[in-house]
């Protein structure tokens, strides 16, 4: 049945059979066997407003009947104009220029290319490098892949785009020993590694710093208090652009339209996608400050970059309808109100010895698994090979769709649709508890 479909980030052969998801309704998905699962990952951090929203389907159909497609290459369409205006209104500071893409990786690619050309236009052509964090994931296009800090994803495609530099992430649970008792000092330490990298590479060579508000890969790693304030100071000091990669964190996942507002900083660019349409049609965007747009606003200079389907009129219309739902149903406020209960429910799992850390923000959490909580000891490669597929399969069979993140130390990620509440939180905790309690002793054998 799956002889022709090449799945993404998936293993094939050896008798592996992929589940087939046929329908979604609210917070639940259904497979071709008729089984129901709680979508505790919002279908990869995307379906903010939930599955089966007729309003969004109708918005797509209505736009397709009027103008199904036209490119933004020197032309504009009403949905793209309106959506750009709306996003600029949500964005902080002077981030008023919206460049549409088809998805998140393209938005990151766009941001790095813009940073390079911007500095060339203002007389600083040597500034081309970009700094990102260890284990961070920024996408799969060649430029975005170079920013990604997961070597096993990069190795098959080397040589990588030159100029990508890595610094430590903000995982306080894995902080160096002297910093484990002071989260603010750790945040300052982590931020100062960016300044150190800029000095090492040469300030005249560094164009941008790419950071997620809450880092996805490695298991929902939040920023320590004061971290982004210090990063903003560093970027200003060295004339380096700060890019807030919010492909996952934007549109209510943390609690605001843009998560940089949740953490009190104003970037020079925002990259976003996923939740903008709640997944009902693909779209992404790079939102830039007026300062970055100014060199292109002379009637002659062009940004020679674009995508055929960037700002697709149907996708833009769906995004507008999705944002209407956000405002009418006050989804951001719902996340802010319920987030403490979500955290408290997941923290009940601390009574299980295999649970080392529960971390995240908003509706974006991870439960890190350890073999020794006192020592914070992670699993060997062989133990991971036995443990992670078993846990993943057991969670799915128990009716929970979530994710095992093994890009750093192993963690279970949960990020339910924004329409979720205490009942869904309790179901997530109950299934996690049952599965983690049932881990066999053979997993811990050396």
């Amino acid at each position: 049945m799956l002889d022709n479909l090449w799945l993404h980030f998936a293993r094939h052969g050896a008798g592996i059979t992929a589940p087939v998801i046929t329908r979604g309704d609210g917070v639940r998905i259904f497979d071709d066997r008729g089984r129901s699962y709680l979508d505790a990952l919002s279908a990869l951090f995307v379906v903010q407003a939930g599955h089966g929203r007729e309003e969004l389907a109708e918005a797509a159909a209505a736009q397709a009947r009027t103008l199904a497609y036209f490119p933004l290459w020197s032309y504009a369409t009403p949905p793209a104009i309106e959506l750009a205006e709306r996003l600029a209104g949500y964005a902080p500071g002077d981030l008023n220029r919206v460049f549409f893409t088809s998805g998140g990786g393209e938005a990151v690619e766009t941001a790095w290319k813009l940073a390079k050309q911007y500095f060339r236009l203002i007389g600083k052509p040597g500034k081309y490098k970009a700094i990102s964090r260890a284990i961070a994931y920024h996408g799969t296009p060649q430029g975005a892949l170079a920013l990604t800090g997961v070597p096993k994803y990069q190795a098959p495609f080397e040589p990588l785009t030159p100029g990508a530099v890595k610094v430590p992430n903000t995982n306080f649970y894995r902080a160096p020993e002297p910093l484990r008792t002071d989260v603010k000092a750790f945040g300052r330490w982590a931020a100062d590694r960016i300044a150190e990298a800029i000095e090492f590479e040469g300030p005249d060579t560094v164009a941008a710093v790419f950071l997620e508000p809450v880092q996805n890969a490695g298991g929902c790693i939040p920023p320590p208090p004061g971290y982004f304030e210090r990063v903003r100071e560093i970027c200003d000091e060295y004339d380096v652009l700060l890019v807030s990669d919010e492909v996952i964190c934007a549109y209510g996942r943390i609690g605001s339209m843009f998560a940089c507002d949740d953490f009190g900083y104003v970037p020079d660019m925002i990259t976003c996608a996923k939740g903008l349409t709640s997944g009902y049609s693909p779209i992404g965007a790079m939102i830039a400050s007026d300062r970055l747009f100014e060199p292109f606003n002379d009637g002659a200079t062009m940004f020679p970059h674009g995508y055929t389907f960037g700002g697709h009129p149907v996708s833009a219309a769906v995004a507008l309808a999705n944002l209407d739902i956000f405002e009418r149903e006050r989804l951001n406020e719902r996340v802010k109100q319920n987030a403490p209960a979500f955290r408290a429910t997941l923290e009940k799992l601390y009574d299980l010895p295999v649970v080392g850390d529960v971390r995240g923000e908003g509706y974006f959490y991870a439960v890190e698994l350890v073999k020794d909580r006192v020592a914070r000891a992670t699993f060997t490669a062989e133990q991971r090979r036995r443990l992670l597929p078993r846990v993943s399969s057991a969670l799915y069979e128990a009716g929970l769709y979530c994710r095992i993140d093994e890009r750093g130390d192993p963690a279970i990620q949960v990020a339910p649709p924004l329409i979720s509440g205490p009942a869904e939180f309790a179901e997530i905790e109950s299934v996690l508890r049952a599965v983690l309690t049932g881990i066999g002793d053979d997993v811990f054998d050396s």
Side-chain angles (χ1 to χ4, degrees):
M1 185 173 69
L2 294 173
D3 291 344
N4 304 110
L5 181 60
W6 197 330
L7 300 174
H8 299 206
F9 286 99
R11 297 174 178 86
H12 294 76
I16 296 173
T17 301
V20 178
I21 305 302
T22 59
R23 183 169 65 89
D25 183 15
V27 299
R28 311 201 78 83
I29 55 174
F30 302 83
D31 67 15
D32 58 352
R33 298 177 294 169
R35 291 193 58 188
S36 168
Y37 307 84
L38 175 61
D39 182 359
L41 202 65
S42 301
L44 206 60
F45 320 111
V46 172
V47 188
Q48 318 293 63
H51 297 274
R53 303 296 295 244
E54 292 288 340
E55 180 177 344
L56 300 182
E58 290 168 1
Q63 179 59 45
R65 284 192 291 266
T66 303
L67 178 66
Y69 173 73
F70 206 79
L72 294 182
W73 295 41
S74 300
Y75 294 83
T77 63
I81 294 169
E82 184 179 352
L83 182 58
E85 180 179 3
R86 197 148 173 191
L87 294 183
Y90 293 135
D94 70 339
L95 276 73
N96 294 317
R97 295 292 178 165
V98 181
F99 188 102
F100 287 115
T101 67
S102 305
E106 291 178 356
V108 171
E109 196 87 354
T110 299
W112 194 3
K113 290 178 74 173
L114 175 60
K116 291 179 181 180
Q117 189 179 1
Y118 167 77
F119 281 116
R120 282 177 171 81
L121 291 174
I122 66 168
K124 298 183 178 182
K127 293 173 80 71
Y128 73 95
K129 296 176 184 175
I131 294 172
S132 58
R133 295 183 292 203
I135 310 177
Y137 177 84
H138 292 284
T140 56
Q142 282 295 134
L145 181 64
L147 296 173
T148 289
V150 186
K152 70 178 181 180
Y153 288 175
Q154 298 173 318
F157 309 108
E158 294 175 332
L160 302 173
T161 301
V165 179
K166 301 297 178 292
V167 295
N169 61 49
T170 60
N171 187 351
F172 184 55
Y173 186 67
R174 295 296 178 186
E177 190 68 44
L179 296 169
R180 286 187 182 175
T181 59
D182 189 337
V183 66
K184 192 167 184 178
F186 169 66
R188 175 74 182 220
W189 173 87
D192 283 346
R193 302 288 72 74
I194 295 174
E196 183 178 80
I198 293 171
E199 287 284 358
F200 181 82
E201 296 294 328
D204 292 338
T205 71
V206 180
V209 175
F210 284 75
L211 303 174
E212 297 164 278
V214 178
Q215 183 174 316
N216 169 36
C220 304
I221 303 171
Y227 173 79
F228 274 108
E229 179 182 3
R230 176 62 182 143
V231 171
R232 181 72 269 181
E233 291 175 353
I234 291 167
C235 289
D236 290 342
E237 177 182 353
Y238 291 104
D239 193 18
V240 170
L241 303 179
L242 175 55
V243 182
S244 190
D245 182 356
E246 306 202 13
V247 171
I248 288 176
C249 292
Y251 309 113
R253 181 55 54 191
I254 307 303
S256 297
M257 280 299 184
F258 294 112
C260 54
D261 286 336
D262 292 305
F263 300 113
Y265 67 97
V266 178
D268 300 291
M269 286 183 266
I270 294 173
T271 57
C272 57
K274 292 188 182 289
L276 179 51
T277 64
S278 285
Y280 284 68
S281 191
I283 197 170
M286 182 280 299
I287 308 172
S289 70
D290 288 334
R291 175 170 69 100
L292 300 187
F293 182 76
E294 186 59 32
F296 299 90
N297 199 27
D298 62 0
T301 305
M302 178 178 66
F303 182 35
H305 174 73
Y307 300 100
T308 297
F309 294 115
H312 193 290
V314 171
S315 296
V318 173
L320 289 165
N322 183 55
L323 295 173
D324 287 343
I325 292 174
F326 264 78
E327 294 183 359
R328 186 177 66 246
E329 299 184 8
R330 301 175 65 84
L331 293 183
N332 290 339
E333 290 82 351
R334 180 183 182 87
V335 172
K336 291 176 181 177
Q337 179 180 350
N338 285 329
F342 189 30
R343 178 191 291 271
T345 302
L346 293 175
E347 286 180 342
K348 294 178 182 179
L349 296 168
Y350 273 131
D351 65 354
L352 301 179
V354 75
V355 173
D357 193 29
V358 175
R359 59 177 177 263
E361 295 287 344
Y363 274 27
F364 186 36
Y365 269 84
V367 177
E368 183 173 327
L369 307 181
V370 294
K371 67 177 181 180
D372 185 333
R373 185 159 61 195
V374 174
R376 302 190 186 190
T378 192
F379 300 92
T380 66
E382 176 58 25
Q383 289 168 337
R384 286 167 66 122
R385 187 191 65 79
R386 291 196 296 264
L387 170 68
L388 301 186
R390 184 182 305 180
V391 171
S392 182
S393 296
L395 290 169
Y396 187 71
E397 286 304 311
L400 191 70
Y401 168 66
C402 56
R403 181 189 204 181
I404 301 290
D405 183 6
E406 52 181 314
R407 291 169 289 189
D409 296 308
I412 301 172
Q413 289 184 298
V414 287
L418 308 190
I419 60 173
S420 303
E424 287 75 29
F425 305 158
E427 184 175 350
I428 291 169
E429 191 273 341
S430 176
V431 174
L432 290 177
R433 176 175 297 278
V435 169
L436 295 178
T437 301
I439 293 174
D441 290 339
D442 63 301
V443 166
F444 299 94
D445 295 338
S446 57

